[in-house]
Every structure is written in C-alpha cells, then in structure tokens.
Amino acid sequence: MQMAVARGARVIASSSEANHDYVREIGATTVPYGEGMADRVRAAAGWPVDAVLDIASKTSVEYLRRLVSRPSQVGCIANLPTAQPGARPTPWFGEVT
C-alpha cells in the first residue's frame, strides 16, 4: 500500500476494524471486510476501479473481478489459484492506465 500511495495511487483497502487506524495512517482509505465489500470499494472510489491487488485474502477472484472491467486488472500474490480465471499471479501491475 505504501508504495502505491507514494507513486500517487489512491488506495482503498479492506481490513478488519482493528486495523483501520493503521491502514489510514499509511495512506489508504479503509472499507470493512464482508458481504457488500465490492459495493463499499466502488463507493469509496467514486469512479471505476483501475486495479485490484489481493495480498492476503481468501476472497474469490470472481468476487474481486466484479470491481474491474478486465480479469488482467486483478493481481494476486497470496491466493495463486485465482490466476485460473484470468487474474495475474504477480506482485507488480506495471503501468496502470
């Protein structure tokens, strides 16, 4: 998150309520986990989401995929089976346009 924020990205992160203060401290907007998370992310973004990076969750790629227009906009470094439906198992998006 910190690298994305440092590069000028607006970061919206899902986390437990216990971690919201920390996540905000490092520059991200927080939304709680759970049912309706995709809607909360979209509302916080206020415009189309450019990319999703899953770093630690067990959230299905089908759910994350609803946030973006192309499967290649979903990256994952922890939940590698998510690459099956078109998401990229990678820690790096490159340039997001």
Side-chain angles (χ1 to χ4, degrees):
M1 283 187 278
Q2 291 159 302
M3 290 188 297
V5 169
R7 292 189 63 152
R10 173 138 184 254
V11 175
I12 301 165
S14 62
S15 70
S16 66
E17 291 284 338
N19 288 320
H20 279 198
D21 287 340
Y22 171 70
V23 172
R24 283 190 290 266
E25 275 180 36
I26 61 175
T29 299
T30 60
V31 296
Y33 290 135
E35 189 68 33
M37 182 185 67
D39 292 331
R40 289 188 294 276
V41 168
R42 276 190 220 94
W47 57 78
V49 175
D50 293 321
V52 174
L53 178 59
D54 182 6
I55 61 170
S57 79
K58 295 179 183 174
T59 304
S60 73
V61 74
E62 291 81 11
Y63 188 82
L64 298 173
R65 171 72 178 78
R66 290 187 235 165
L67 289 166
V68 293
S69 60
R70 296 184 315 271
S72 62
Q73 291 171 282
V74 177
C76 45
I77 62 172
N79 194 0
L80 297 181
T82 61
Q84 303 293 322
R88 299 182 292 167
T90 178
W92 178 247
F93 281 104
E95 297 299 317
V96 177
T97 57

